[in-house]
């Protein structure tokens, strides 16, 4: 028997809602079949079966809230396995004829599987030689625990790497790491917030809204970022009169296609091009070294009910403004509907947060770890500027770049802004 566990579908997930079952007791599933829908702190996502077998028990009813990660939610009878959910209660040495008859095919299958798997290398490959044969859950657990799938020999059907293989591979390395990390983690724990009663605020004088999973996750990540990342801001003013004129022309051209390019789409494109011009700013700090990213995967902050999420425009430097506008609109809509896939909001190499539409002139964002920078974009407003000795009006937008000093020092951050400013002030270059 195999227990199907509540998966951790994002690095910040601690619990979720089992929204819907797609299977019932008695159904036979194959690896990769969608069996349930889970609502996490970020989105609603599908859960796939990791092995073949028959569903014998549904342990958590659909609609159940607060289901902790790794809690058994269903039970699967492996192909050829015992039908009873408690096989251990039967004596191991039982020699009745019925068990023998059932065991014989299974025993015959075992040598057959072993013969098939024996010549396979430690890292089973597809016919193309690129993809490692592994279940979706095995890949997810390996990513979360830093386990290299290429070092694992699969015990699933046809050498497929399944959950138990990854867990077995991770046990030896995980235990020392956990033990050594405990003192540091304890030392870094933030002080606990005082209750309102401790602060002298009487009961009944306020309404208390419980923290949902997203609020808890955002709070934890922001505290970790502020505490652990040595950060500093850099400010620059950009004149955007030409941008506004170009945007009007572009939108008139794209109107028949139903596409409308926003100022933020121009910002994303300019930031991506600037990151390619100053690749040192497109980097992340890791304990092993500085990760220099090959592409500008720009995360854009989207406010949703109950929190914030950062869907990603991947390889933004390779995309035109119309494509960026189309993708950003789609991602923002699905973010608000909580329909994003994990890979659509996890990762990213650089973030953009824009509060200009709310009239905010200038602000400083908290870095979205492990990214090295985040750009905060304020509102464009009419200001008096000096040109050729004359005071003239101009539409000015203040941009703030918050940098992780371990990755991006002041000079590198300044060079990035020097590359960004002419692109946003004269956006014709971005249309080429």
């Amino acid at each position: 028997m195999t227990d199907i566990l509540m998966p951790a579908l994002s690095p910040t997930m601690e619990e979720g809602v089992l929204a819907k079952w797609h299977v019932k007791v008695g159904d036979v599933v194959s690896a990769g079949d969608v069996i349930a829908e889970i609502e996490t702190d970020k989105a609603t996502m599908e859960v796939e079966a990791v092995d073949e077998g028959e569903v014998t028990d549904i342990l958590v009813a659909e609609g159940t809230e607060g289901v902790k990660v790794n809690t058994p939610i269903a039970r699967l009878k492996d192909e050829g396995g015992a039908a009873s959910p408690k096989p251990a209660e039967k004596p191991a040495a039982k020699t009745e004829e019925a068990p023998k008859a059932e065991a014989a095919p299974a025993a015959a299958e075992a040598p057959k599987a072993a013969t098939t798997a024996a010549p396979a290398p430690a890292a089973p490959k597809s016919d193309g030689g690129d993809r490692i044969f592994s279940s979706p859950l095995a890949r997810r657990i390996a990513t979360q625990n830093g386990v290299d799938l290429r070092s694992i020999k699969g015990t699933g059907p046809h050498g497929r790497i399944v959950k138990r293989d990854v867990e077995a591979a991770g046990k030896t390395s995980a235990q020392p790491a956990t033990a050594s990390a405990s003192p540091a983690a304890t030392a870094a724990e933030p002080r606990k917030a005082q209750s309102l009663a401790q602060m002298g605020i009487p009961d009944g004088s306020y309404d208390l809204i419980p923290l949902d999973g997203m609020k808890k996750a955002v709070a934890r990540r922001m505290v970790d970022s502020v505490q652990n990342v040595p950060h500093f801001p850099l400010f620059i003013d950009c004149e955007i009169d030409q941008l506004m004129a170009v945007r009007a022309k572009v939108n008139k051209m794209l109107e028949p296609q139903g596409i409308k390019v926003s100022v933020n789409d121009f910002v994303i494109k300019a930031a991506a091009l600037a990151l390619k011009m100053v690749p040192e700013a497109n980097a992340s700090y890791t304990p092993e070294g500085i990760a220099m990213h090959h592409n500008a995967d720009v995360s854009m902050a989207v406010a949703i009910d109950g929190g914030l999420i950062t869907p990603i425009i991947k390889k933004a430097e390779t995309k035109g403004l119309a494509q960026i506008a189309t993708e950003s609109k789609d991602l923002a809509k699905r973010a608000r509907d909580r329909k994003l896939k994990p890979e659509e909001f996890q990762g990213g190499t650089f973030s953009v947060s824009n509060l200009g539409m709310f009239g905010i002139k200038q602000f400083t964002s908290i870095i979205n770890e492990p990214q090295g920078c985040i750009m905060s974009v304020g509102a464009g407003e009419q200001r008096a500027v000096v040109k050729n000795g004359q005071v003239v009006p101009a539409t000015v937008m203040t941009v703030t770049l918050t940098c992780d000093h371990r990755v991006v020092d002041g000079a590198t951050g300044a060079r990035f802004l020097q590359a960004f400013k002419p692109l946003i002030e004269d956006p014709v270059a971005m249309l080429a």
Side-chain angles (χ1 to χ4, degrees), residues 46-310:
E46 296 174 337
V47 176
E48 299 175 348
V50 297
D51 282 313
E52 295 81 0
E54 178 186 340
V55 179
T56 61
D57 296 277
I58 299 293
L59 304 177
V60 177
E62 64 178 39
T64 302
E65 299 181 359
V67 184
K68 299 290 185 183
V69 167
N70 292 329
T71 298
I73 58 175
R75 187 166 289 134
L76 195 69
K77 181 180 72 174
D78 295 334
E79 194 172 2
S84 170
K86 297 181 180 179
E89 294 178 358
K90 294 186 177 182
K94 201 76 172 178
T95 57
E96 292 156 275
E97 290 300 317
K100 283 183 180 178
E102 293 179 3
E109 281 297 316
K112 181 179 177 183
T115 304
T116 305
K125 304 286 185 180
S126 68
D127 293 339
D130 296 325
R131 176 175 169 270
I132 299 173
F133 285 121
S134 57
S135 71
L137 182 58
R139 293 195 295 272
R140 196 176 297 129
I141 294 174
T143 299
Q144 293 168 352
N145 293 280
V147 177
D148 187 353
L149 287 175
R150 292 172 297 182
S151 65
I152 300 175
K153 184 173 182 179
T155 61
H158 308 294
R160 183 186 181 93
I161 299 172
V162 293
K163 179 188 73 170
R164 59 178 174 267
D165 302 322
V166 180
E167 291 178 338
K171 281 181 180 178
T172 304
S173 59
Q175 289 174 353
T178 303
S180 62
S182 296
T186 302
E189 286 181 0
R191 67 174 181 83
K192 292 184 178 180
Q194 287 185 306
S195 68
L196 295 181
Q198 290 173 317
M199 292 186 282
I201 300 176
D203 289 341
S205 64
Y206 56 87
D207 294 324
L208 189 65
I209 301 174
L211 296 173
D212 60 14
M214 175 170 286
K215 286 288 188 184
K216 291 178 182 177
V218 170
R220 182 173 59 252
R221 284 178 57 82
M222 294 301 97
V223 169
D224 289 345
S225 180
V226 170
Q227 285 189 329
N228 299 330
V229 178
H231 57 278
F232 65 94
L234 296 173
F235 308 93
I236 197 167
D237 290 335
C238 301
E239 295 182 23
I240 59 170
D241 290 291
Q242 289 192 56
L243 182 150
M244 301 304 289
V246 170
R247 175 175 175 255
K249 292 180 181 179
V250 168
N251 283 336
K252 187 173 182 179
M253 294 171 55
L254 296 174
E255 187 176 1
Q257 303 175 43
I259 299 174
K260 188 173 183 180
V261 180
S262 69
V263 171
N264 204 54
D265 297 326
F266 278 91
V267 170
I268 289 171
K269 177 67 174 180
L273 293 176
L275 288 171
K276 298 302 292 183
M277 296 164 69
V278 187
E280 297 85 357
N282 194 33
S284 298
Y285 175 85
T286 77
E288 295 78 25
I290 305 302
M292 305 293 291
H293 301 293
H294 297 163
N295 297 108
D297 296 337
V298 181
S299 303
M300 58 177 195
V302 175
I304 63 177
D305 186 23
L308 186 74
I309 194 168
T310 52

Side-chain angles (χ1 to χ4, degrees), residues 24-36:
K24 59 184 183 299
V25 172
D27 286 353
V28 176
V29 299
S30 300
D33 288 351
V34 175
I35 60 173

